[in-house]
Amino acid sequence: MNPLNEIKDITNKLSLLIVEDDIDVRGLLTLALKPFFKKILEASDGLQGLDFFYKTNVDLVITDQQMPKLKGIEMIRKIRSVNPDLPIILITAFTEIDVLIDAINLGVNKFLLKPVLIETLYKTVQEALTSVIAKEKALMEQEYNVLKIKDEFNLLQKKLALSKQRVLTRNDFYYKKIDTVNDSTWLINTKYIPYDILSGDFYSIRVIQNDAIVLTLMDAVGKGLSAFVSSSIITTFLNYYIDFHIDRFDFLLFTKTLVDYVVKQLTDDEALCIVFLFIDLNKNIMTIVNFGMPPVLAITKKQEPKIFYQDYLPITKCEEITIKNSFTLDDIEKIVLLSDGIYEPQYEDCLIKDLIKSPFKTVFIENVLKYVEKNQDDMSIIFLKKFNLKPKWSKRFSINSKLQSVHSLINDVETLLNEMNLNIQFVVESITAINEMVMNAYEHGSLAISRIEKNRLLKEDIYEETLIEFEQSVDKEILLDIRWYNESDIDYFVYTIKDEGDGFDTQIIKDTIVDSDNLNYRGIKITKGLVDEIYYNSKGNEVLLIKRNII
């Protein structure tokens, strides 16, 4: 086995100088070593070899001793006066004792005896390059460590930037569904895929009094820090304005005020694209004002598209704003807001077709990412769906808040799903998700055990006995509804679990749900990985799980 094959990735970066007056020997050495070195220089005598050394960055020298003009040992002596560490191999004979002694004193690394054997040549070159290899490996390790530190730093910066963006981004419907006074249920969900550590895409989803919603999606023109700063400042002002005027909110005044503020924040070469969407769920009216963002796409109950294009160019200066687009929601089933990281005019037909055939956001995202080129820009989506479809099958379970009843319920549901001849993976994942959410309803809803208290009880190994003790004084019901839907040829199940507890605000899980190292709210995290989507009611005591049936 050729030992140079083991270090070829290093020798391929090195230059070799061969000094040999015998043209045949010199040709043999060059032919044997050419596959392993980046560059080979050939000299026919010591003077030429020394000239190459002075003019070229050489990593290894192989030289004969007996040559005209300048012998090998004299050339080595001059080389050593300049570079005492350069690896040198001397080709000589046993009879040249004085030469060998001089060579040793000059720090020649290795010797090759005449006649030169190829196997010996490879081994000698490898041994002579030991110090070079060690330095190269140390340098490679150092470069690797530097890159590793940079990667870790970039990941930290990305984590901090995303954390800051989560703080600035306000979504009053985080993991929540909207049940209106008109007996309609709206699902609002988002998807954000950043292009870089700092993003210019920001969104806000705010609830106003009397079942009104304001949605904004913005994209600062540009990338990196400048876009991030512009969007974050504007988002902060936007949310502050809504908080301050929430009881006397006027959409047109809000839009004009924000545009005036934006103009004051932008430099001469900056612009802001932003779309405002105001939905009054009581009156079933949607109002849109769009400054340079992609069109708002909607699908009617008859599966017909409606496209609402921009009203104005991106914001660069103050403009007179009027409400141009106000529409009824009576026949609207889905609405989607997109940033230009997803929307391109050539994709419009495909986006509409996918919106029609996608029963919920997760399916839409999967379809879109098949043809939209990922990571060319920030990608943001706000997906709204009116959920009023009649199921093709449903079943309700009701249990009292007893641990034994919870176990029996899970067994009954597992039997039911298995009898329906569903995919075994679908059944296992559904049962696991239902079990997590029913246990949450039992522990935290019915028994009102806090997360901190649960951790303490588990640590003291008295959790289950405490549950049984607490449940004796509780008379509360837990409901489980299972509904089977078919929409656009996609089968999916909806599991709704409701308890009679006080509920919780889903905003408290905003940071922990995306942090894999944070073990709080473990049940919600597990369930999130098993189903397509999760939504709670406004009180937080009812959870809706959506899961596609695996065919």
Side-chain angles (χ1 to χ4, degrees):
M1 181 179 177
N2 185 348
L4 291 185
N5 285 324
E6 300 175 8
I7 58 171
K8 191 174 181 179
D9 57 332
I10 294 177
T11 59
N12 276 342
K13 303 174 185 177
L14 305 180
S15 295
L16 167 65
L17 172 60
I18 298 174
V19 189
E20 170 63 68
D21 63 321
D22 188 320
I23 190 171
D24 293 331
V25 175
R26 190 169 70 244
L28 175 66
L29 295 173
T30 299
L31 183 65
L33 296 174
K34 187 175 182 179
F36 303 100
F37 284 86
K38 178 182 178 181
K39 184 178 182 181
I40 294 182
L41 302 170
E42 298 181 50
S44 58
D45 58 64
L47 279 179
Q48 189 182 19
L50 194 61
D51 185 57
F52 277 137
F53 166 76
Y54 287 142
K55 294 179 179 179
T56 312
N57 186 19
V58 175
D59 300 293
L60 172 66
V61 175
I62 300 177
T63 180
D64 191 15
Q65 162 57 12
Q66 298 299 334
M67 293 182 295
K69 298 183 181 179
L70 187 68
K71 292 188 177 183
I73 201 69
E74 295 306 320
M75 183 189 72
I76 292 170
R77 197 182 309 279
K78 293 181 182 296
I79 289 174
R80 279 288 179 252
S81 67
V82 177
N83 187 339
D85 299 318
L86 180 66
I88 299 175
I89 299 172
L90 180 62
I91 303 173
T92 185
F94 270 126
T95 56
E96 300 175 304
I97 302 299
D98 292 341
V99 172
L100 290 173
I101 294 172
D102 281 346
I104 291 170
N105 290 333
L106 288 170
V108 170
N109 301 77
K110 287 292 175 180
F111 298 92
L112 272 173
L113 299 179
K114 296 179 178 179
V116 176
L117 300 176
I118 297 301
E119 293 80 3
T120 307
L121 172 66
Y122 288 149
K123 188 173 184 299
T124 304
V125 169
Q126 182 204 34
E127 292 172 350
L129 288 173
T130 300
S131 61
V132 175
I133 294 167
K135 288 180 182 179
E136 186 68 23
K137 287 183 176 179
L139 182 61
M140 290 171 63
E141 185 175 354
Q142 184 180 15
E143 290 175 348
Y144 169 77
N145 289 332
V146 169
L147 289 173
K148 185 179 178 183
I149 291 171
K150 286 183 178 179
D151 286 343
E152 290 173 353
F153 177 77
N154 286 337
L155 285 173
L156 176 61
Q157 291 298 103
K158 184 175 183 178
K159 187 174 182 180
L160 292 173
L162 290 174
S163 177
K164 185 64 176 178
Q165 197 160 12
R166 283 197 300 273
V167 171
L168 296 177
T169 299
R170 294 282 295 277
N171 181 358
D172 293 342
F173 297 100
Y174 187 76
Y175 279 88
K176 284 184 180 179
K177 60 190 179 77
I178 308 168
D179 297 312
T180 72
V181 294
N182 300 321
D183 293 327
S184 294
T185 296
W186 281 87
L187 307 179
I188 300 182
N189 211 325
T190 61
K191 182 67 176 179
Y192 167 61
I193 305 174
Y195 169 74
D196 205 346
I197 294 174
L198 299 175
S199 167
D201 281 13
F202 273 73
Y203 70 87
S204 178
I205 305 174
R206 305 300 310 276
V207 61
I208 312 298
Q209 76 283 2
N210 300 324
D211 285 332
I213 306 169
V214 176
L215 302 96
T216 58
L217 177 60
M218 71 181 72
D219 181 8
V221 176
K223 292 184 174 70
L225 182 60
S226 175
F228 176 82
V229 171
S230 295
S231 291
S232 59
I233 291 172
I234 294 162
T235 300
T236 301
F237 176 79
L238 178 154
N239 286 314
Y240 172 79
Y241 181 94
I242 292 175
D243 289 338
F244 192 76
H245 296 86
I246 197 163
D247 293 326
R248 53 189 186 281
F249 186 82
D250 181 281
F251 179 62
L252 181 58
L253 179 60
F254 161 71
T255 306
K256 290 180 176 180
T257 304
L258 190 68
V259 170
D260 289 344
Y261 179 80
V262 169
V263 171
K264 296 174 183 177
Q265 307 307 314
L266 298 177
T267 61
D268 292 340
D269 59 346
E270 287 184 319
L272 181 78
C273 300
I274 186 168
V275 57
F276 302 90
L277 185 64
F278 180 73
I279 298 178
D280 188 325
L281 294 172
N282 283 333
K283 297 179 180 178
N284 253 3
I285 293 175
M286 173 177 69
T287 304
I288 303 171
V289 179
N290 188 341
F291 292 87
M293 287 292 284
V296 175
L297 306 180
I299 303 299
T300 68
K301 292 177 182 178
K302 295 180 179 180
Q303 304 304 295
E304 296 171 344
K306 287 191 174 183
I307 305 173
F308 307 102
Y309 291 100
Q310 67 183 47
D311 309 293
Y312 304 94
L313 295 173
I315 299 173
T316 57
K317 57 183 178 60
C318 290
E319 298 188 47
E320 184 62 32
I321 300 170
T322 59
I323 299 299
K324 300 179 181 179
N325 291 318
S326 192
F327 312 91
T328 179
L329 287 172
D330 289 338
D331 66 335
I332 298 294
E333 186 177 87
K334 301 171 196 169
I335 305 168
V336 64
L337 285 70
L338 307 166
S339 69
D340 60 5
I342 291 180
Y343 178 88
E344 294 287 347
Q346 67 265 30
Y347 296 147
E348 187 173 285
D349 289 343
C350 294
L351 288 167
I352 290 170
K353 289 176 183 177
D354 283 327
L355 187 55
I356 290 173
K357 68 182 183 182
S358 299
F360 41 87
K361 181 214 73 176
T362 306
V363 178
F364 180 67
I365 293 292
E366 289 176 1
N367 290 332
V368 166
L369 290 182
K370 291 176 183 176
Y371 53 85
V372 172
E373 193 169 358
K374 196 174 177 181
N375 289 336
Q376 294 299 306
D377 198 354
D378 303 318
M379 305 173 74
S380 299
I381 292 177
I382 302 177
F383 190 100
L384 297 88
K385 175 186 172 69
K386 186 187 290 184
F387 194 70
N388 56 5
L389 189 69
K390 290 184 179 180
K392 69 177 189 178
W393 174 90
S394 65
K395 185 169 180 64
R396 168 167 285 195
F397 296 86
S398 173
I399 62 169
N400 55 23
S401 296
K402 308 293 184 212
L403 187 59
Q404 183 58 48
S405 298
V406 171
H407 294 328
S408 297
L409 171 65
I410 299 304
N411 288 334
D412 290 344
V413 173
E414 184 174 10
T415 300
L416 173 67
L417 295 181
N418 280 322
E419 287 175 350
M420 297 171 72
N421 295 318
L422 299 168
N423 178 280
I424 187 168
Q425 180 184 343
F426 172 84
V427 173
V428 170
E429 291 177 350
S430 293
I431 291 300
T432 305
I434 292 170
N435 181 64
E436 289 291 340
M437 292 296 98
V438 172
M439 281 299 295
N440 267 3
Y442 166 70
E443 298 167 341
H444 306 302
S446 297
L447 304 188
I449 295 175
S450 69
R451 174 179 53 82
I452 296 174
E453 187 177 8
K454 178 179 178 178
N455 290 339
R456 179 184 65 80
L457 295 173
L458 287 170
K459 188 175 182 181
E460 295 175 6
D461 199 24
I462 56 171
Y463 186 58
E464 188 167 324
E465 59 191 80
T466 303
L467 292 179
I468 295 172
E469 178 186 344
F470 281 11
E471 70 182 24
Q472 303 307 313
S473 58
V474 172
D475 183 22
K476 292 181 178 178
E477 190 178 42
I478 298 174
L479 297 178
L480 166 63
D481 282 319
I482 301 178
R483 287 168 288 166
W484 185 358
Y485 294 88
N486 183 277
E487 188 176 351
S488 302
D489 295 326
I490 295 177
D491 267 347
Y492 62 96
F493 280 68
V494 175
Y495 309 115
T496 305
I497 298 102
K498 186 174 184 179
D499 62 68
E500 296 181 312
D502 295 332
F504 78 108
D505 185 357
T506 58
Q507 294 293 329
I508 66 177
I509 65 173
K510 187 175 180 179
D511 290 325
T512 58
I513 202 73
V514 296
D515 186 353
S516 58
D517 297 327
N518 193 323
L519 298 179
N520 294 327
Y521 305 101
R522 184 188 64 89
I524 298 176
K525 288 184 178 181
I526 291 173
T527 304
K528 182 174 178 286
L530 295 170
V531 301
D532 289 289
E533 296 185 7
I534 303 177
Y535 299 92
Y536 282 87
N537 65 351
S538 58
K539 184 177 179 180
N541 70 331
E542 176 183 296
V543 62
L544 181 148
L545 311 177
I546 301 177
K547 183 169 179 61
R548 274 172 292 178
N549 182 22
I550 304 170
I551 305 298

